Amino acid sequence: MPEHGGNLRDAMRRYGQHDWLDLSTGINPHWYPAPPIAGNAWHRLPETDPALAQAAQAFYGAPRMLAVAGTQAAIQALPRLRPPSRVTVSSPSYAEHAHHWRQHGHAMREVAYSDLDAAVDDSDVVVLCNPNNPTGAQVPAEQLLQWAEKLAARGGWLVVDEAFGDTVSGSVAAHTDRAWSGGGALIVLRSVGKFFGLAGLRLGFVAAPPALLQPLEALLGPWAVSGPAQQVALAALNDTAWQHAMREQLAQQGRRLQALLAQYHIESSGTALFQWWPEPQAEALHEHLAQRGIWVRLFPRAARGIRIGLPPDEAGWRRLEQALQLWSQP
């Protein structure tokens, strides 16, 4: 199983019972305040509430959406809905994409973000995160739609994981209902966990044509999303005042994090929720921070870098700055 951030139990086993500052996920530390759950949500089988899909379609700008138990559920299922295909996944990226396409008999390769344009011509499926996780790089919507058209002309798919897309522009979710000439599909994945800070809900959405959403729903089976998750997400997706204020807050904090890193000669890129940089001493910096109870995401192999999320409060910002000061001292 690929390694992920948020694995604090691993940190505790290795480094002891610190008061951990977990910056390893890129999840909004200022989560949406969940409303009280109706009592029957714990009792009834969780039929899908049509209002949830309508709220998601309005929030994400998509014509049709299927609620799933986190985008992870869709990432695991989509490779099972195609015969063996030539699949290209951007790298570095969210590791679960390559992992599951590789597991289901596809000819899978990973290419750099900068090489995706050339890879479209000899692929049946292209998968990328936009903005990218972990680097924050983005492909313009116009380019994505050109790739989707090329792939669809021969029955191919463009899968765009927009899990971190809520604080940036450039979504292509509005185009997922398009009838492409070759019968292919543009598929967009969206997550409630990142921007709303509700990763524990295990809720995401898939935007795609009906001809793909129907078999995906059948594969995932009934009651895929819990009743409590549906209730909380419905409130969050409809709370435009909270969304607007949070976008402004995250934008400010994202700039603050990038500026803090720059003070210690770290040139980073990312989104409002995280920063990433290639780090020649990635393992040593990860160890330095972990020894001080700060858990960040280490990418030790091809990407060789560090991804770091937002501290939740001023105490967290001070801890991070103090650790960076110590790291930068000769």
Side-chain angles (χ1 to χ4, degrees), residues 7-311:
N7 52 338
L8 282 183
R9 285 189 174 87
D10 291 342
M12 291 174 186
R13 280 194 293 266
R14 182 172 176 182
Y15 296 98
Q17 296 292 330
H18 290 288
D19 175 20
W20 283 98
L21 175 62
D22 185 9
L23 308 180
S24 66
T25 66
I27 294 168
N28 183 359
H30 315 292
W31 59 85
Y32 182 77
I37 304 298
N40 68 350
W42 303 105
H43 170 70
R44 287 179 51 82
L45 287 170
E47 297 177 275
T48 302
D49 185 352
L52 178 63
Q54 293 167 5
Q57 287 158 200
F59 179 76
Y60 296 116
R64 286 182 175 81
M65 295 201 109
L66 173 67
V68 295
T71 52
Q72 180 66 31
I75 290 168
Q76 294 179 201
L78 286 171
R80 300 167 61 187
L81 294 178
R82 280 193 71 93
S85 303
R86 300 169 299 170
V87 179
T88 298
V89 178
S90 63
S91 177
S93 185
Y94 181 59
E96 293 286 340
H97 287 292
H99 178 67
H100 288 284
W101 283 101
R102 187 178 286 115
Q103 280 191 326
H104 290 90
H106 302 281
M108 211 288 300
R109 62 175 174 170
E110 298 179 71
V111 305
Y113 225 63
S114 57
D115 295 331
L116 283 172
D117 189 45
V120 169
D121 291 333
D122 58 357
S123 301
D124 302 310
V125 178
V126 172
V127 184
L128 73 155
C129 297
N130 202 51
N132 192 32
N133 172 18
T135 67
Q138 281 188 261
V139 176
E142 296 78 8
Q143 179 73 80
L144 292 173
L145 294 176
Q146 289 175 18
W147 292 350
E149 187 169 13
K150 283 185 179 181
L151 290 161
R154 51 182 184 270
W157 293 353
L158 178 65
V159 181
V160 185
D161 183 344
E162 295 182 349
F164 282 100
D166 295 343
T167 61
V168 300
S169 58
S171 172
V172 291
H175 302 274
T176 50
D177 206 26
R178 182 170 165 183
W180 304 92
S181 58
L186 170 62
I187 303 163
V188 171
L189 311 180
R190 300 299 296 244
S191 171
V192 171
K194 308 300 189 296
F195 170 68
F196 290 102
L198 297 174
L201 281 187
R202 305 313 307 138
L203 179 61
F205 294 92
V206 181
L212 193 145
L213 290 181
Q214 290 164 4
L216 177 59
E217 184 175 19
L219 179 60
L220 295 174
W223 314 305
V225 178
S226 75
Q230 292 188 49
Q231 288 193 10
V232 173
L234 184 59
L237 291 167
N238 285 328
D239 195 338
T240 55
W242 185 91
Q243 295 159 16
H244 178 74
M246 184 53 61
R247 282 195 177 94
E248 291 188 347
Q249 180 178 347
L250 292 176
Q252 293 170 358
Q253 294 192 347
R255 291 191 293 268
R256 179 180 179 182
L257 179 57
Q258 189 172 39
L260 175 61
L261 294 170
Q263 287 180 29
Y264 299 99
H265 312 291
I266 295 172
E267 296 183 11
S268 65
S269 62
T271 72
L273 286 167
F274 64 82
Q275 290 293 304
W276 180 90
W277 67 97
E279 173 56 60
Q281 302 181 73
E283 293 86 353
L285 177 54
H286 182 266
E287 179 77 13
H288 169 85
L289 293 171
Q291 292 288 353
R292 289 154 183 80
I294 301 174
W295 197 235
V296 301
R297 183 75 163 88
L298 170 66
F299 291 83
R301 287 176 285 278
R304 198 113 195 283
I306 297 286
R307 188 192 66 196
I308 186 168
L310 298 174

